[in-house]
Amino acid sequence: MWLSFKRLLTHISLAIFTVAGCYLAFLYTRRGDLTYTLTIGFGYISLVLLVISLVIGPLKLFWQRRNPVNLYLRRDVGIWSGITGCLHVVAALLDHRGGNFLEYFFRFTADGGITPLLNRSGIANYIGLIATILLVLLLVTSADFMLRRLKGRRWKSLQRLNYVLFALVIFHTLIYQQVSRREQLFVEATTILIIVVLVAQIVGVHLYQIHQHRNHRFRKSTIKEATR
Ligand code: HEM
């Protein structure tokens, strides 16, 4: 089915956002190393889009009584977060260890032994791996035919895994910021993103309860009117 003009515009804006993010990463890294630039660029773009997708629902409650199961804007932003997250993983795996991605998770000893890599980057990689599995699951189930197949409620509960994904990505990012001795600005920006999501969720729950309460009172008064 053809995309509506509004959705097409959303996708074009998200593509421009992604290119702009990669350009900023290029200006930041200045190493000319493409895989490193893309690792940082796609990583942060995916994180920011994930945050936007989690904030859209609560914001919508300000001018709409119900939080609909399927909001195209939230879904499209989520799709771009998923795609850029996967591109980050590919770039990261191709970067540091010359593409030998097993070395991200295991330590190979000289005598042929293998042990899990449990230093800070090893733990960040395991967390990133679980996040990637969730990311792919959410990306696949965001398709129209999956929404029809899983029906509203089941689809919505699956999409709630976005909060688990957010927590995992935050741990992964904070650990890597320490390992890579990233500038304080990055840590502060990540902290702001965490606060934005927490505040949006608290406000969202509050607005939802107010709407529920109003709907309940409205239903009660219409029943009273009808039985009078
Ligand atoms: C198996 C999965 C993953 C692996 C192996 C991986 C690997 C890496 C590596 C090596 C870095 C450090 C880059 C550097 O500083 O040199 C990194 C950073 C980062 N990753 Fe991942 N990642 C994975 C999954 C994810 C996912 C799913 C996301 C987001 C959706 C993500 C977001 C980030 C972000 C925002 C950073 C930047 C942190 C910093 O400032 O260093 N990663 N990742």
Side-chain angles (χ1 to χ4, degrees):
M1 226 213 286
W2 291 102
L3 289 181
S4 67
F5 180 68
K6 218 169 143 187
R7 283 190 78 194
L8 189 68
L9 217 62
T10 308
H11 283 292
I12 292 172
S13 312
L14 288 164
I16 293 172
F17 179 80
T18 304
V19 173
C22 287
Y23 182 64
L24 282 179
F26 170 73
L27 292 181
Y28 166 71
T29 56
R30 285 169 193 268
R31 252 176 45 179
D33 187 337
L34 186 67
T35 49
Y36 176 68
T37 304
L38 293 181
T39 303
I40 300 298
F42 284 133
Y44 280 104
I45 292 166
S46 177
L47 172 60
V48 171
L49 292 179
L50 181 60
V51 168
I52 296 175
S53 75
L54 291 175
V55 167
I56 289 174
L59 273 185
K60 195 93 183 155
L61 279 173
F62 270 110
W63 61 88
Q64 202 168 312
R65 274 165 177 247
R66 284 180 61 239
N67 190 357
V69 171
N70 168 31
L71 252 171
Y72 275 124
L73 179 63
R74 181 170 51 194
R75 198 140 65 102
D76 291 342
V77 173
I79 289 171
W80 276 82
S81 170
I83 293 171
T84 49
C86 290
L87 290 174
H88 159 79
V89 176
V90 174
L93 293 180
L94 290 174
D95 191 38
H96 295 268
R97 299 165 207 245
N100 185 1
F101 58 85
L102 284 180
E103 285 188 11
Y104 275 84
F105 305 100
F106 301 101
R107 193 188 299 280
F108 295 89
T109 51
D111 57 350
I114 306 176
T115 52
L117 189 63
L118 292 176
N119 58 11
R120 279 188 302 173
S121 21
I123 289 169
N125 292 338
Y126 282 113
I127 295 175
L129 180 63
I130 303 170
T132 308
I133 294 169
L134 279 188
L135 200 74
V136 173
L137 182 77
L138 289 168
L139 191 59
V140 171
T141 53
S142 65
D144 273 333
F145 75 94
M146 285 306 277
L147 174 61
R148 279 195 298 273
R149 235 188 133 139
L150 291 172
K151 308 276 184 314
R153 252 167 195 258
R154 268 168 71 198
W155 189 80
K156 181 85 188 164
S157 340
L158 200 72
Q159 294 298 316
R160 288 216 175 93
L161 285 174
N162 253 318
Y163 301 107
V164 181
L165 172 64
F166 175 69
L168 291 171
V169 171
I170 285 297
F171 280 122
H172 171 81
T173 304
L174 291 176
I175 297 174
Y176 258 125
Q177 283 175 346
Q178 298 303 313
V179 173
S180 310
R181 295 174 195 275
R182 199 68 63 216
E183 292 79 354
Q184 197 54 26
L185 184 70
F186 283 82
V187 184
E188 283 163 8
T190 309
T191 312
I192 292 174
L193 292 180
I194 301 171
I195 295 170
V196 166
V197 170
L198 288 179
V199 170
Q201 290 310 311
I202 293 169
V203 172
V205 169
H206 188 63
L207 285 175
Y208 180 76
Q209 282 169 347
I210 292 175
H211 293 325
Q212 289 286 89
H213 187 66
R214 272 202 205 133
N215 286 347
H216 184 67
R217 272 201 353 224
F218 176 73
R219 245 181 273 132
K220 256 173 105 178
S221 65
T222 12
I223 292 171
K224 247 187 194 167
E225 289 276 320
T227 50
R228 218 177 253 168

